[in-house]
């Protein structure tokens, strides 16, 4: 540790402090350039990297900046969760943190198709409590925290809120288990020694030489080779230069996917060319006809890449006239590499799965050659047949009638079990139609097996009941259901039924797809069982780069602030009679809830203005008053903000959410001043006993989360680059003066500007709501902002250290600024008493208005607690408390609650948080902020 740790607690709070918080405080104390102390406020609890409630300041020249010190949320899955990758294999979530270069399979909600994404980071935390275990009709089991979001047709739903018989979105493909490839060399410079040196240079520049079995893109290379052997060719032109190039043929959507894999190898391809053709065709029976078709193709004009593919096993010239077989390196590769090769090959030349009622038709792979190459073709198909058998797939090869001087052979996967294995573990790549149909078909066959098993179990049960009772009616009472009718039971008893067939009410394939199919090959699977189970191990979450922010865990699609006080001149007695009407109006006017969207629609240019201008953008667009700016930290704008450093993914998340409350612990409360502790300061702040105020607690929504996610990987690389030793990977950081550090600071500033704008828009709609209910203008109601301060931020500030003024970057994560008197960074009106400090309690308990002090400036870099601090997990709260009971209990106390989700009410119940009285007492008695007023709630809006 470079500095001591300091935690502000009293006897009542110390017993509930998590050991992990102590460890995190100690870890932060090890970071370069840290000044004085690594601190935690009395509301501290475990967070990502830094504890929530953590404060640390770093020397502006010698210190670091860390996204983990600003704020991040963790929703988690159990250690036995398997995550599907883009290469069609799965890895355990626990090992994923050591393999961050993998691309994961995701569901692009906007495009309605499967896609892939880079991993940003993997987070973990210890859990010694109950978690949720879900099981679907088709046997998928997923375990995780109650707040982990699961995709349904109605959007993401926390696991703890799912119901039995509810449909969830699943990805049918299962793939194969990952096997670590060897470091055996497949190709190196020796393979290209006879060619021009530019060939080797081209391949070296793209890290394609030496090509080893464990190359990070070996899956994409195997897929491309498979597709090329089916629908590609290496063309050598006649002429003096004898140009050589590689071409791929297929539908446009197939070629788009091919281009994506080529881009992974940094290989440039042409645009997609199209041409209409008429081809004369003579069939094996002597008939001739003309077929009109449209050809689509792309070219890779690089001779080096064409030769690269040739050395991997791709023939040069017309494939029907050339002898070739499956490359040796493919035969020796791990099963998941073979899977990619076969999926590319069948994506090009395999038949699309189809059904006759309940029954799948064979999947075929047909090839032709000149008759002199018959043995070569049979050897080629024998190699494919052998590879398929490694997946447990049986196939057969047979000859088909061919035109003169040609031979045609077909490999067919015929039996249903093998068809199912092929679709679930190999599938098709590049061909969207085949892939999607294959995914639907695999889920249908799983559903078919599930129903067969139900009927098998019904036979066993029926025989057992009949043996014990001799009563057919009792057998029917115990067995008859959707998949086993009375006739089925009678035949079981009287005809000794042993063969199980699909019942007549089972849907045909087309009916199943129509009912359960979702775009992109995803399907709906019903929740069969939900249980809360004890758990004592680590929980993990994965943050990914794609804007959809989901991934596939055990086949299921799963998803990876600040405060403002607004005054009125109304009293408690004046507002109470209209409380229900007022709260309903605010609930309607201010969007809230998980995934909630704002009332306004802004475009990309406008979001960039919001990110750089902050509250000024809102004021300029008539969402507030000019004087509002004076009473917002930093006047509502971090001037260092640079929107160009915020990713498109973050901007896309922020576009629809600006002006919305969100979910979780974000809320809006109508409160009244219950107790005044300091009349003088209260007068300066413009408040008095029984006065009604509105407290708004929300932040930068998904945009801020995405900025943090984007920069965590960036910072991990920076930490290695600058040789920073990290006691915990979650403390990824960069020197403040470095390009990486400055870029993150400017992007984070955009998040702060967005958060201030978000609260400004909400303030505008609250003012409109009061105007509508009280038939008086907001100006006449004196609905001025008392103060607005951030809770999660890193800021450049001047502080006295060892008797000298020094510029530092203060990280406040779940902590709030508490500047004392005579500070130019607080409103002039408050300069004699210090900055207002707003410490919200939990739903149903008090909140505190306090003021900053010189003691805080000396001890905590002008920082204090930001709230009550969580002590109970959301999962445990959901188990122990019912929303209806909480709402009823609060109603008896005169507190109305309106929430987008009743589950949130249980998650955010008062018992989930530390006692706000203890927190307020600690900061008051330590002198880092002093009590002015205690506020009590009258009405609460929860997300």
């Amino acid at each position: 540790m470079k500095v001591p740790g300091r935690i502000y607690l009293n006897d009542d709070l110390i017993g509930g402090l998590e050991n992990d918080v102590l460890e995190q405080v100690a870890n932060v104390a090890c970071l370069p350039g840290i000044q004085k102390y690594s601190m935690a406020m009395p509301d501290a609890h475990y967070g990502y990297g830094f504890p929530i409630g953590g404060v640390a300041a770093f020397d502006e020249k010698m210190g670091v900046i860390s996204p983990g010190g600003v704020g991040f949320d963790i929703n988690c899955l159990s250690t036995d969760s398997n995550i599907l990758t883009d290469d069609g294999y799965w890895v355990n979530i626990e090992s994923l943190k050591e393999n961050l270069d993998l691309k994961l399979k995701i569901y692009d909600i906007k495009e309605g198709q499967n896609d892939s994404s880079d991993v940003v980071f993997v987070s973990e935390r210890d859990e010694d409590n109950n978690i949720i275990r879900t099981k679907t009709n088709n046997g998928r089991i997923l375990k995780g925290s109650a707040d982990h979001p699961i995709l349904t047709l109605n959007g993401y739903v926390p696991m703890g809120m799912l119901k039995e018989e509810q449909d969830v979105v699943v990805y049918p493909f299962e793939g194969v288990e990952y096997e670590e490839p060897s470091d055996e060399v497949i190709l190196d410079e020796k393979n290209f020694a006879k060619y021009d040196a530019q060939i080797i240079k081209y391949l070296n520049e793209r890290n394609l030489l030496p090509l080893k079995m464990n190359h990070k893109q070996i899956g994409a290379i195997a897929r491309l080779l498979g597709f090329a052997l089916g629908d590609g060719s290496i063309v050598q032109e006649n002429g003096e230069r004898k140009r050589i190039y590689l071409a791929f043929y297929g539908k446009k959507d197939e070629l788009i996917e091919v281009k994506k894999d080529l881009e992974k190898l940094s290989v440039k391809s042409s645009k997609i060319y199209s041409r209409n053709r008429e081809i004369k065709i003579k069939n094996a029976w002597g008939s001739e006809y003309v077929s009109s078709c449209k050809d689509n193709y792309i070219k890779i004009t690089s001779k080096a890449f064409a030769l690269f593919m040739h050395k991997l096993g791709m023939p040069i010239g017309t494939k029907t006239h050339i002898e070739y077989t499956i490359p040796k390196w493919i035969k020796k590769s791990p099963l998941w590499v073979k899977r990619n090769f076969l999926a590319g090959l069948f994506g090009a030349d395999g038949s699309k799965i189809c059904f006759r009622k309940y029954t799948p038709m064979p999947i075929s792979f047909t090839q032709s050659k000149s008759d002199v190459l018959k043995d070569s073709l049979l050897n080629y198909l024998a190699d494919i047949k052998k590879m398929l058998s490694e997946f447990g797939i049986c196939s057969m090869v047979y000859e088909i009638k061919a035109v003169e001087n040609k031979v045609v052979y077909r490999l067919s996967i015929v039996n249903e079990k093998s068809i199912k294995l092929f679709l679930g573990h190999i599938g098709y790549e590049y061909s969207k139609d085949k892939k999607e149909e294959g995914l639907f078909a695999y889920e249908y066959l799983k559903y078919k097996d599930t129903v067969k098993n139900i009927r098998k179990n019904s036979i066993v049960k029926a025989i057992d009941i009949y043996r014990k009772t001799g009563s057919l009616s009792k057998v029917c009472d115990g067995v008859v259901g959707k998949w086993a009718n009375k006739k089925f039971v009678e035949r079981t008893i009287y005809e000794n039924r042993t063969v199980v067939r699909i019942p007549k009410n089972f849907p045909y394939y087309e009916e199943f797809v129509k009912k359960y199919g979702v775009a992109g090959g995803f399907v709906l699977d019903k929740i069969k069982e939900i249980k809360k189970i004890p758990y004592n191990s680590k929980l993990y979450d994965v943050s990914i780069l794609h804007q959809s922010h989901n991934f596939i865990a055990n086949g299921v699609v799963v998803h990876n602030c600040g405060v403002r006080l607004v005054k009125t001149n109304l009293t408690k007695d004046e507002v109470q009679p209209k409380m229900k009407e007022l709260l309903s109006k605010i609930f309607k006017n201010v969007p809230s809830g998980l995934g909630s969207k704002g009332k306004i629609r802004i475009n990309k240019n406008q979001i960039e203005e919001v990110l750089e201008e902050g509250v000024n953008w809102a004021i300029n667009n008539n969402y507030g008053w000019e004087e509002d700016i004076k009473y917002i930290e930093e006047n509502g704008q971090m001037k260092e903000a640079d929107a160009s450093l915020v990713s498109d993914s973050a901007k896309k998340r922020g576009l629809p959410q600006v002006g919305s409350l969100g979910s979780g612990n974000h809320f809006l409360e109508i409160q009244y001043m219950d107790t005044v502790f300091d009349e003088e300061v209260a007068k300066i702040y413009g408040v008095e006993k029984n006065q009604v105020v509105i407290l708004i607690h929300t932040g930068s929504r998904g945009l801020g989360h995405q900025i943090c996610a984007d920069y965590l990987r960036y910072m991990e690389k920076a930490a290695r680059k600058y040789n920073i030793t990290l006691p915990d990977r979650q403390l990824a950081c960069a020197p403040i003066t470095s390009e990486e550090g400055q870029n993150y600071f400017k992007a984070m500033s955009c998040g702060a500007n967005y958060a201030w704008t978000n609260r400004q828009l909400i303030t505008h709609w609250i003012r409109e709501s009061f105007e509508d209910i009280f038939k008086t203008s907001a100006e006449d109601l004196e609905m001025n902002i008392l103060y607005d301060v951030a809770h999660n931020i890193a800021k450049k500030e001047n502080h006295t250290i060892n008797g000298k003024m020094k510029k530092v970057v203060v990280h406040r994560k779940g902590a709030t600024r508490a500047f004392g008197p005579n500070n130019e960074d607080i409103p002039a009106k408050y300069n004699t008493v210090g900055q207002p400090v707003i410490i919200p309690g939990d739903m149903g308990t008090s909140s505190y208005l306090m003021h900053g002090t010189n003691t805080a400036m000396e001890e905590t870099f002008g920082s204090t607690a930001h709230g009550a601090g969580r002590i109970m997990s959301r999962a445990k709260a959901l188990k122990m408390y019912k929303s209806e009971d909480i709402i009823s209990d609060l109603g008896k106390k005169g507190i109305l609650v309106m929430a987008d989700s009743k589950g949130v009410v249980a998650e955010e119940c008062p018992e989930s948080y530390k006692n706000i009285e203890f927190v307020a007492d600690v900061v008051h008695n330590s002198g880092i902020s002093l009590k002015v007023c205690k506020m009590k709630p009258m009405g609460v809006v929860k997300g």
Side-chain angles (χ1 to χ4, degrees):
M1 292 170 63
K2 300 178 185 297
V3 296
R6 173 179 279 190
I7 304 177
Y8 288 79
L9 295 167
N10 64 11
D11 291 340
D12 295 299
L13 292 173
I14 197 166
L17 187 69
E18 302 157 293
N19 288 332
D20 289 333
V21 172
L22 297 173
E23 184 178 349
Q24 289 188 319
V25 169
N27 286 341
V28 173
C30 297
L31 293 178
I34 189 167
Q35 302 293 301
K36 292 175 70 172
Y37 301 101
S38 168
M39 289 174 280
M41 297 296 111
D43 54 339
H45 53 288
Y46 180 78
Y48 183 88
F50 282 57
I52 298 168
V55 176
F58 298 88
D59 183 273
E60 188 186 36
K61 294 181 180 178
M62 303 300 293
V64 296
I65 186 168
S66 172
V70 174
F72 217 72
D73 293 329
I74 306 172
N75 300 310
C76 302
L77 296 173
S78 63
T79 54
D80 55 358
S81 300
N82 293 323
I83 312 302
L84 187 65
T85 70
D86 190 39
D87 282 333
Y89 62 81
W90 51 264
V91 293
N92 181 264
I93 196 168
E94 197 169 10
S95 63
L96 189 61
K97 63 182 179 180
E98 307 301 330
N99 296 280
L100 295 179
D101 290 334
L102 297 179
K103 281 188 174 289
L104 302 187
K105 182 66 67 179
I106 63 105
Y107 179 46
D108 189 330
I109 298 170
K110 184 176 180 182
E111 299 295 331
Q113 62 186 25
N114 61 74
D115 205 339
S116 63
S117 176
D118 290 316
V119 179
V120 179
F121 69 89
V122 177
S123 60
E124 64 179 72
R125 67 177 170 89
D126 291 315
E127 181 65 56
D128 184 11
N129 212 317
N130 286 348
I131 61 171
I132 304 296
R133 178 185 182 271
T134 62
K135 184 176 181 180
T136 68
N137 279 348
N138 276 347
R140 295 178 176 89
I141 295 173
L142 188 67
K143 293 180 280 188
S145 60
D147 49 2
H148 200 97
I150 305 296
L151 186 60
T152 72
L153 285 181
N154 296 318
Y156 289 101
V157 175
M159 284 183 75
M161 298 300 294
L162 291 172
K163 305 292 183 186
E164 290 182 1
E165 293 300 308
Q166 185 171 1
D167 289 325
V168 294
V169 178
V170 301
Y171 190 65
F173 188 73
E174 293 184 17
V176 294
E177 185 175 2
Y178 179 70
E179 176 189 344
E180 186 74 32
S182 71
D183 63 352
E184 179 183 350
V185 175
I186 300 170
L187 296 175
D188 59 18
E189 291 186 9
K190 295 175 186 176
N191 296 94
F192 300 89
K194 69 177 183 178
Y195 300 108
D196 189 283
Q198 291 300 314
I199 301 292
I200 294 175
K201 181 183 177 184
Y202 175 95
L203 297 174
N204 279 331
E205 286 174 349
R206 286 155 181 78
N207 295 315
L208 294 174
L209 289 181
L211 179 68
K212 296 183 178 182
M213 195 70 80
N214 58 2
H215 191 283
K216 68 178 183 178
Q217 296 296 350
I218 200 69
I221 292 168
R223 282 196 299 274
L224 286 167
L225 180 61
F227 192 80
L229 286 172
D231 276 342
S233 64
I234 297 178
V235 180
Q236 186 159 23
E237 295 180 341
N238 296 322
E240 294 182 10
R241 294 182 62 188
K242 291 188 176 181
R243 289 180 58 206
I244 185 171
Y245 64 87
L246 173 64
F248 288 95
Y249 305 90
K251 296 179 180 179
K252 283 189 175 181
D253 57 10
E254 295 172 356
L255 297 178
I256 289 171
E257 295 304 308
V258 170
K259 286 169 73 70
K260 287 180 182 177
D261 270 352
L262 290 169
E263 287 170 7
K264 293 175 186 175
L265 306 181
S266 301
V267 173
K268 187 176 180 181
S269 59
S270 71
K271 69 176 185 179
I272 299 175
Y273 296 101
S274 298
R275 61 180 179 180
N276 294 315
R277 296 174 60 192
E278 289 191 349
I279 305 173
K280 289 183 178 180
I281 297 175
K282 183 179 180 180
N283 64 26
W285 290 269
S287 301
E288 293 187 7
Y289 59 94
V290 175
S291 174
S292 297
C293 63
K294 187 173 186 176
D295 276 354
N296 302 293
Y297 62 97
I298 58 173
K299 290 183 179 180
I300 297 90
T301 56
S302 164
K303 179 180 179 180
F305 190 69
L307 291 172
F308 176 77
M309 292 292 283
H310 174 57
K311 294 295 182 182
L312 287 175
M314 179 76 183
I316 297 175
T318 306
K319 296 196 293 288
T320 55
H321 295 86
I322 301 172
E323 184 174 351
Y324 62 90
T325 188
I326 303 300
K328 289 182 180 179
W329 73 270
I330 289 288
K331 294 178 185 178
K332 292 193 295 182
S333 66
L335 200 63
W336 66 267
V337 177
K338 291 174 181 170
R339 176 264 152 193
N340 279 280
F341 174 79
L342 289 168
L345 187 66
F346 275 77
D349 274 354
S351 65
K352 181 178 175 180
I353 185 69
C354 59
F355 281 76
R356 183 172 295 154
K357 295 185 177 179
Y358 314 114
T359 307
M361 297 294 99
I363 296 173
S364 299
F365 177 79
T366 306
Q367 297 283 284
S368 68
K369 280 198 183 292
S370 60
D371 54 7
V372 296
L373 296 175
K374 174 181 176 180
D375 289 343
S376 172
L377 177 56
L378 286 172
N379 288 335
Y380 179 66
L381 294 174
D383 282 344
I384 295 173
K385 178 182 172 75
K386 185 178 178 182
M387 264 199 292
L388 289 170
S389 70
E390 294 180 50
F391 294 82
I393 298 168
C394 298
S395 59
M396 56 187 295
V397 176
Y398 54 93
E399 188 174 7
I400 292 178
K401 188 175 176 65
V403 297
E404 190 177 356
N405 300 322
K406 294 279 187 182
V407 289
V408 179
Y409 278 86
R410 176 172 292 163
L411 179 149
S412 282
I413 304 168
V414 178
N415 72 68
E416 188 167 308
K417 180 182 177 182
S418 290
I419 291 171
K420 182 183 171 189
L421 284 169
F422 176 85
L423 296 174
H425 300 276
I426 296 176
Y428 305 92
E429 291 291 355
Y430 301 118
S431 172
K432 182 180 177 181
D433 292 344
K434 293 178 187 176
K435 187 173 195 172
E436 186 172 293
E437 206 67 51
L439 291 166
F440 290 152
Y442 181 60
E443 188 69 10
Y444 179 74
L445 294 175
K446 283 190 72 171
Y447 186 45
K448 189 174 174 182
D449 283 348
T450 297
V451 172
K452 279 186 175 181
N453 285 331
I454 291 171
R455 285 166 69 84
K456 286 178 183 177
N457 291 335
S458 296
I459 290 174
V460 173
K461 188 175 180 181
I463 292 171
D464 183 58
I465 295 172
Y466 190 73
R467 186 182 294 117
K468 291 176 180 177
T469 67
S471 169
L472 181 63
S473 64
K474 288 184 178 179
V475 173
C476 290
D477 290 341
V479 174
V480 168
K482 182 177 181 180
W483 304 121
N485 58 21
K486 185 177 180 181
K487 189 175 181 181
F488 174 82
V489 172
E490 289 173 346
R491 287 185 174 180
T492 296
I493 300 301
Y494 298 132
E495 298 177 15
N496 196 23
R497 176 193 292 271
T498 56
V499 177
V500 175
R501 295 187 177 89
I502 284 297
K504 290 183 179 180
N505 60 332
F506 188 77
Y508 291 159
Y509 172 70
E510 291 78 10
E511 295 170 335
F512 172 86
V513 173
K514 187 175 181 180
K515 185 174 182 179
Y516 296 106
V518 183
F522 290 77
V523 296
L524 301 177
D525 194 2
K526 286 189 182 298
I527 296 290
K528 179 181 180 181
E529 180 184 88
I530 300 176
K531 283 185 177 180
K532 292 177 181 178
I533 60 171
Y535 187 80
N536 184 9
S537 187
K538 294 211 178 276
L539 289 177
Y540 293 87
D541 194 22
V542 182
S543 180
I544 60 121
L545 197 58
H546 195 280
Q547 63 180 5
S548 293
H549 302 285
N550 59 48
F551 55 97
I552 315 297
N554 295 355
V556 182
V557 182
V558 301
H559 197 50
N560 253 323
C561 65
V563 67
R564 172 178 293 196
L565 194 63
V566 179
K567 298 183 287 186
T568 74
N569 59 15
L570 297 168
T571 66
K572 175 188 175 184
D573 291 340
E574 290 172 321
V575 172
Q576 193 73 61
K578 297 186 177 182
M579 193 65 237
K580 187 174 182 179
E581 187 182 2
L582 175 62
L583 205 64
S584 297
K585 178 63 69 173
I586 292 174
F587 187 74
K588 180 181 178 181
N589 283 348
V590 179
S592 61
L594 183 69
S596 56
K597 298 179 179 180
K599 290 173 65 174
I600 63 172
R601 293 290 177 266
I602 58 176
N603 57 37
K604 185 178 179 182
N605 290 334
Q606 289 172 314
I607 190 72
E608 292 184 349
E609 291 171 2
V610 167
L611 297 180
E612 294 188 353
E613 297 174 15
V615 171
N616 288 298
W617 179 89
I619 302 300
N620 292 336
N621 284 275
N622 300 313
Y623 294 107
W625 308 336
E626 287 288 344
E627 68 174 31
D628 288 344
I629 291 174
K630 299 177 187 177
Y631 298 98
I632 302 172
E633 183 180 5
E634 293 295 323
N635 292 325
Q637 181 191 21
M638 296 275 279
K639 291 184 169 59
E640 298 92 338
D642 183 346
S644 69
L645 296 171
V646 176
S647 70
D648 287 340
S649 296
K651 290 171 185 173
K652 286 177 182 176
R653 291 188 76 179
L655 275 169
Q657 292 185 337
V658 66
S660 61
L661 193 61
S663 64
N665 67 337
H666 291 158
F667 63 87
L668 186 159
E669 277 191 4
I670 299 172
Q671 305 174 329
Y672 70 95
M673 295 293 174
D674 176 67
T675 307
V676 177
F677 300 101
D678 192 321
E679 295 282 357
E680 181 184 348
V681 179
K683 186 175 182 181
I684 291 171
Y685 286 168
V687 292
E688 60 186 14
K689 187 175 175 63
N690 287 324
Q691 182 176 338
V692 169
V693 293
I694 304 97
L695 192 150
I696 305 163
H697 179 218
T698 189
S700 53
R701 300 295 318 277
L703 177 135
H705 187 282
Q706 187 63 42
I707 289 173
C708 190
D710 290 339
Y711 277 89
L712 275 168
R713 283 286 297 278
Y714 187 56
M715 292 300 206
E716 280 189 1
K717 293 178 181 177
R720 292 193 293 269
K721 175 180 175 182
Y722 297 106
N723 297 315
I724 299 172
T725 301
L726 298 177
D728 182 351
R729 282 182 65 182
Q730 295 181 1
L731 293 173
C733 58
I736 295 163
T737 55
S738 68
E739 179 183 1
E740 294 89 344
Q742 287 298 302
N743 286 352
Y744 170 65
F745 184 80
K746 293 172 183 177
M748 181 222 64
S749 298
C750 289
N753 290 345
Y754 182 97
W756 282 315
T757 305
N758 195 33
R759 291 194 288 276
Q760 184 65 33
L761 294 172
I762 290 172
T763 300
H764 175 74
W765 291 317
I766 289 172
R767 284 169 172 165
E768 287 187 338
S769 300
F770 269 78
E771 287 178 332
D772 191 39
I773 299 301
F774 291 96
K775 311 303 179 187
T776 306
S777 70
E779 289 85 354
D780 288 341
L781 291 171
E782 299 181 77
M783 296 187 71
N784 302 301
I785 297 172
L786 192 150
Y787 204 59
D788 181 305
V789 65
H791 281 171
N792 297 300
I793 200 165
K795 294 182 66 182
K796 296 176 181 178
E797 297 172 359
N798 293 309
H799 288 277
T800 302
I801 299 172
N802 297 327
K804 294 181 180 180
M805 189 62 69
K806 196 171 189 177
K807 181 158 277 192
V808 293
V809 175
V810 182
H811 292 58
R812 297 186 180 97
K813 177 180 180 176
T816 190
R817 198 181 73 172
F819 279 8
N822 304 313
N823 193 306
E824 61 182 15
D825 290 326
I826 65 176
K829 185 176 178 180
Y830 304 150
N831 209 29
T832 59
V833 296
Q835 171 206 309
V837 172
I838 306 153
I839 303 183
D842 54 79
M843 181 175 55
T845 63
S846 303
S847 297
Y848 278 85
L849 174 62
M850 308 182 85
H851 70 89
T853 65
N854 287 326
T855 300
M857 301 304 290
E858 293 165 6
E859 290 187 13
T860 63
F861 302 102
S863 308
T864 191
H866 88 308
R870 195 167 192 100
I871 56 171
M872 184 188 296
S873 71
R874 289 183 168 87
K876 188 172 182 180
L878 280 167
K879 177 185 177 181
M880 295 182 65
Y881 301 100
K882 292 183 178 180
S883 304
E884 295 81 1
D885 294 341
I886 295 166
I887 292 171
S888 175
D889 290 344
L890 292 174
K892 292 173 184 176
K893 297 177 184 178
I895 303 167
L896 295 178
V897 178
M898 291 190 179
D900 180 73
S901 164
K902 287 186 177 180
V904 172
V905 175
E907 290 174 2
E908 297 298 312
C909 65
E911 291 77 8
S912 295
Y913 288 87
K914 297 180 181 180
N915 189 318
I916 188 64
E917 305 297 338
F918 296 158
V919 173
D921 285 347
V922 169
V923 296
H924 179 82
N925 293 334
S926 65
I928 60 174
S929 48
L930 298 176
K931 296 177 183 177
V932 179
C933 297
K934 179 195 283 191
M935 303 170 287
K936 287 191 174 179
M938 301 169 67
V940 184
V941 172
K942 295 291 293 185

